[in-house]
Amino acid sequence: MNKYEHLFEPIKIGNTIVKNRIFMPPLSTNLGNKGYVTDQLVEHYKARAKGGVGLFVTEVVTIEPTYVYLPGDMSIYDDSFIEGWKKLVDGVHEYGAKILPQLFHPAYMAFPLPNTPQLIAPSNVGPYYAKSAPRPVTKEELKVIIKQFADAAYRVKLAGGDGVEVHAAHAHGLLGGFLSPLYNKRHDEYGGDINNRLRLTLEVIAAIREKCGPDFIIDVRISGDEYSDGGLNINDMTYVAKQLEKASVDMLHVSGGTTIKRGSSIPAPGTKQGSHCELAKHIKQFVKIPVATVGRINEPWIADELIADGYCDACMIGRANLCDPEFANKAYNGQEITIRPCIGCLRCLNGIMFGKPVACTMNPSFDLENEDNLQQAKIKKNILVIGGGVAGMEAAYVAKKKGHHVVLCEKQDQLGGQINLACVPIGKQDLTKVIQFMEYRLKDVDIRLNTLVTKEMLENEFKDYIVLACTGAKANTIKDFEVFKQTMSADDILAGRAFPGQKIVIIGGGSVGCELADYLAPVLNDRYIRNRDVTIIEMDKEIMMKETGPARSVLAMRLMDKGIHIEVNAKVTNITSDTITYEKDGVTHTITDANTLVFANGYHIDNSIEQMLQEAKVEYYLLGDQKHIGNIQTAIKDAYEITKNI
């Protein structure tokens, strides 16, 4: 019996019945081609419709040709796009799902392609990263844009679509910008008070309703609170929600934050699930139309709870459905342990701004033949996997699924490798699910823990095996600096092999060094006598230079709140048993009261593994960090791509 009775109860939106309350919100894929729907994009949505999603709100769909949001996004500004949209609509309808393209005008947040004219905006206010000020859009231009929204919605209807979502959230794009006092500084009938700032959105809704009729779903995405001084707040948006309902809107998609305040609209890993649910719950009290919530809802139990407890009528579940297309079906069938876990890392969107297609740390391929439906190998082989980290576990799973005989040897007493350490810092608990999920999939694999593979074993027991070496990387140290009274690596601390003192200096301000500092620092920066004093010394111009997502912003702010000393553009030049000397901006500084020096200055490959494989004269492949130093995503992707071809 399905235990998520609220999540799988049908819901009526306007005059349309949706089979369940698992909705998929807009999540850019960059799978379009010059605005057109591609076969690859159709298959992407079909896989998730087949997986049980009740309703899709697609990624951004632009309504006019001048301004591009992302190079691989979709458009519907003329009739030539209808054919592709019909393919997509029919594809998801085949599995009983409904679909609402998200209509959007990027305005001052358009992608700056060559020959793009000056960007338009409510006022001459652009985002902080803008290279030049946008110009205020004229009232005459707004009349054209309103018609473009209505015409775009009508094309969706002609393609068989169930409705549209109008994007007016996150102080983002034209409608979101007009609604927000952060960007709208006009003093005509489209600016000033909340009614005037809402006017454009209401006129767009009226035009769509007139063009498309009463049975066409109109959903509006709003920020229930922009979480910013001077921005929209819950009082504003409760009023806005009431006006939208009066204007014949069929559903509200309540988000929060803005796109430029990192971590506010798209929450960072380690933050609470249902990040905007309080906003949805508040607004839901004052309207009768369905209210959906969104934001880091990546497990079935939390979605069901949010609905059961009255926070919302439906849950927008994006990254979890991206990560596992069968999320809904597995939840319905009580197979939660088999759901590929979304860890909230947001690497799915890392390359989007650079034209790369959507990707996922935990799901290495969205191709038609992928991890979930791999074909059996024509010739079955014997395969030895050395190392039980994520690369090794992925390789063993893929090899077994292809029908090979697989033995996995891990020298430690548990699987997981570096993930066992990576899950220790604050906000990294979700990584334990990675080990749990990947280990579960290996239940039919011959796993040998506490087993160190030797040359003799390769030459005898595993003589005819193909070897996949996934032994990971080793933490760097600096030998000359080991003269200090107490030294250890970040890995030593996270593994519990070493315990630092009270005044700590960490060499390296990448993710590992910063996460360790956060882990070691006091929870409260209250000058308590037993608080640890932590200093990060980083040679680069800023900490965590390789990270760009909300997690970086949240961690950086937490480091500052905790009073951690961060020295960038700084280089350690000399170490004695009692002193640490570094140079910054041409000035030499010496720390005389530290009692622990920690190395967090990267990793290196242990070449002795490959040397042993060569001496044993076996066929072998290097995977994950044994091949090149990377992250969880690169380790899994690398293991998948190499192993699937064996």
Side-chain angles (χ1 to χ4, degrees):
M1 181 179 176
N2 167 46
K3 64 181 178 181
Y4 303 117
E5 55 181 314
H6 303 93
L7 193 55
F8 288 97
E9 182 182 2
I11 183 172
K12 188 176 183 181
I13 301 174
N15 295 319
T16 301
I17 302 295
V18 181
K19 66 180 180 180
N20 63 41
R21 298 171 187 232
I22 296 178
F23 296 178
M24 190 165 177
L27 204 161
S28 293
T29 65
N30 259 345
L31 297 178
N33 180 18
K34 297 181 179 178
Y36 289 90
V37 172
T38 61
D39 289 345
Q40 187 180 8
L41 192 136
V42 172
E43 293 301 328
H44 179 85
Y45 280 94
K46 279 180 66 176
R48 286 147 188 85
K50 181 181 178 183
V53 169
L55 179 145
F56 293 92
V57 179
T58 74
E59 59 215 90
V60 161
V61 179
T62 52
I63 52 94
E64 60 84 51
T66 307
Y67 300 103
V68 174
Y69 180 55
L70 291 173
D73 271 335
M74 296 181 289
S75 299
I76 196 163
Y77 55 76
D78 66 40
D79 290 353
S80 67
F81 295 96
I82 295 175
E83 181 181 357
W85 275 100
K86 188 171 190 319
K87 258 190 185 179
L88 177 53
V89 167
D90 290 347
V92 300
H93 280 175
E94 180 182 343
Y95 298 100
K98 307 301 181 184
I99 186 166
L100 313 178
Q102 186 191 67
L103 301 187
F104 184 66
H105 190 304
Y108 53 101
M109 290 183 171
F111 199 83
L113 293 174
N115 302 317
T116 299
Q118 184 179 10
L119 303 184
I120 60 172
S123 311
N124 60 347
V125 179
Y128 72 93
Y129 54 78
K131 295 182 178 179
S132 61
R135 66 171 178 83
V137 62
T138 67
K139 289 189 284 185
E140 290 71 23
E141 288 172 317
L142 289 180
K143 293 177 183 177
V144 174
I145 290 170
I146 292 166
K147 184 176 184 303
Q148 288 172 329
F149 268 101
D151 290 346
Y154 187 65
R155 293 186 191 101
V156 171
K157 184 175 181 179
L158 292 177
D162 302 286
V164 294
E165 175 171 277
V166 175
H167 189 352
H170 308 146
H172 192 46
L174 192 67
L175 301 185
F178 261 84
L179 190 55
S180 176
L182 295 171
Y183 290 100
N184 188 340
K185 312 297 181 180
R186 299 171 77 102
H187 47 80
D188 60 11
E189 64 267 39
Y190 290 99
D193 70 11
I194 188 70
N195 291 297
N196 283 354
R197 298 199 312 274
L198 179 60
R199 186 184 304 276
L200 178 59
T201 299
L202 293 179
E203 290 178 350
V204 166
I205 291 164
I208 292 174
R209 182 60 75 205
E210 182 180 0
K211 189 95 174 178
C212 298
D215 295 330
F216 191 74
I217 295 172
I218 301 177
D219 158 37
V220 180
R221 189 176 201 185
I222 57 174
S223 287
D225 192 311
E226 290 182 341
Y227 308 136
S228 299
D229 292 342
L232 294 166
N233 58 57
I234 188 61
N235 297 330
D236 299 324
M237 298 314 295
T238 302
Y239 176 78
V240 165
K242 293 177 183 178
Q243 308 316 306
L244 292 173
E245 182 179 38
K246 290 177 184 176
S248 82
V249 167
D250 298 301
M251 182 174 76
L252 295 174
H253 176 180
V254 179
S255 184
T258 69
T259 54
I260 62 167
K261 185 176 181 181
R262 288 179 292 277
S264 62
S265 60
I266 304 179
T271 55
K272 75 170 185 176
Q273 294 201 61
S275 52
H276 307 304
C277 68
E278 296 289 347
L279 304 177
K281 183 178 185 179
H282 183 87
I283 287 172
K284 181 172 158 52
Q285 299 175 73
F286 301 100
V287 295
K288 294 182 175 62
I289 57 177
V291 173
T293 191
V294 69
R296 224 177 96 77
I297 304 170
N298 55 21
E299 295 181 78
W301 70 268
I302 183 68
D304 195 72
E305 282 287 303
L306 290 172
I307 297 167
D309 295 344
Y311 283 88
C312 60
D313 299 294
C315 287
M316 294 281 180
I317 304 175
R319 288 174 279 173
N321 273 305
L322 175 74
C323 184
D324 194 333
E326 289 287 325
F327 175 90
N329 286 343
K330 290 176 179 178
Y332 184 84
N333 293 322
Q335 299 171 322
E336 294 91 337
I337 186 61
T338 70
I339 294 175
R340 187 183 290 106
C342 169
I343 57 175
C345 64
L346 284 168
R347 293 193 186 278
C348 47
L349 302 180
N350 267 10
I352 291 294
M353 290 300 293
F354 305 102
K356 295 180 180 179
V358 67
C360 176
T361 289
M362 291 301 299
N363 192 334
S365 175
F366 296 141
D367 292 340
L368 283 178
E369 182 184 358
N370 56 51
E371 193 185 61
D372 294 326
N373 56 27
L374 282 168
Q375 302 299 306
Q376 290 272 303
K378 292 180 180 178
I379 301 174
K380 305 301 189 288
K381 299 176 180 178
N382 293 323
I383 293 180
L384 170 65
V385 179
I386 306 177
V390 289
M393 288 191 286
E394 176 70 14
Y397 170 73
V398 172
K400 186 68 177 180
K401 191 156 188 179
K402 288 181 69 66
H404 300 304
H405 170 65
V406 183
V407 177
L408 187 158
C409 293
E410 165 57 49
K411 67 179 181 180
Q412 303 296 334
D413 60 0
Q414 60 181 342
L415 297 176
Q418 287 294 108
I419 300 296
N420 289 306
L421 310 186
C423 68
V424 173
I426 294 168
K428 304 297 289 292
Q429 167 67 18
D430 282 356
L431 292 182
T432 60
K433 300 173 193 172
V434 176
I435 305 171
Q436 186 180 44
F437 167 74
M438 298 188 84
E439 187 171 2
Y440 174 81
R441 299 196 304 180
L442 300 180
K443 57 185 181 296
D444 297 325
V445 171
D446 181 359
I447 298 174
R448 304 180 189 180
L449 300 176
N450 298 304
T451 302
L452 178 65
V453 175
T454 64
K455 181 183 174 185
E456 288 69 32
M457 293 168 67
L458 294 172
E459 292 173 336
N460 293 285
E461 181 181 0
F462 300 117
K463 181 178 180 181
D464 297 321
Y465 281 63
I466 296 173
V467 179
L468 305 180
C470 318
T471 51
K474 297 188 179 299
N476 292 334
T477 59
I478 303 173
K479 190 155 186 67
D480 290 346
F481 292 174
E482 291 177 359
V483 298
F484 193 73
K485 67 183 81 171
Q486 184 185 40
T487 64
M488 57 193 66
S489 70
D491 285 9
D492 290 332
I493 296 172
L494 297 175
R497 294 189 295 263
F499 193 75
Q502 192 171 5
K503 187 169 177 72
I504 303 160
V505 174
I506 299 172
I507 298 180
S511 293
V512 172
C514 290
E515 287 174 2
L516 181 71
D518 184 33
Y519 172 65
L520 295 176
V523 175
L524 297 175
N525 184 19
D526 60 356
R527 302 179 70 90
Y528 183 58
I529 190 66
R530 294 179 62 184
N531 282 353
R532 285 193 176 110
D533 184 302
V534 183
T535 298
I536 298 171
I537 300 179
E538 168 57 46
M539 292 175 61
D540 216 331
K541 62 182 178 181
E542 195 45 89
I543 55 172
M544 295 184 284
M545 289 289 287
K546 293 182 180 179
E547 299 296 331
T548 58
R552 183 199 180 281
S553 299
V554 170
L555 177 54
M557 290 188 288
R558 201 157 61 227
L559 295 180
M560 291 186 287
D561 288 345
K562 290 182 173 183
I564 292 169
H565 313 292
I566 301 173
E567 301 292 345
V568 295
N569 281 321
K571 181 179 180 180
V572 176
T573 55
N574 188 57
I575 301 286
T576 70
S577 61
D578 296 306
T579 64
I580 300 169
T581 300
Y582 67 94
E583 186 178 292
K584 177 175 179 175
D585 300 328
V587 179
T588 298
H589 306 265
T590 299
I591 300 171
T592 60
D593 55 350
N595 48 35
T596 305
L597 178 64
V598 180
F599 298 113
N601 54 318
Y603 294 84
H604 65 275
I605 295 170
D606 179 4
N607 293 317
S608 66
I609 304 298
E610 183 171 17
Q611 184 178 344
M612 179 182 70
L613 294 170
Q614 290 173 344
E615 290 174 357
K617 297 181 180 178
V618 296
E619 181 182 352
Y620 70 90
Y621 299 88
L622 304 178
L623 308 182
D625 283 349
Q626 185 61 46
K627 182 180 180 183
H628 49 76
I629 308 299
N631 52 42
I632 301 173
Q633 182 179 18
T634 58
I636 292 176
K637 178 77 170 176
D638 190 44
Y640 168 79
E641 292 292 345
I642 291 174
T643 309
K644 74 171 184 176
N645 292 315
I646 296 176

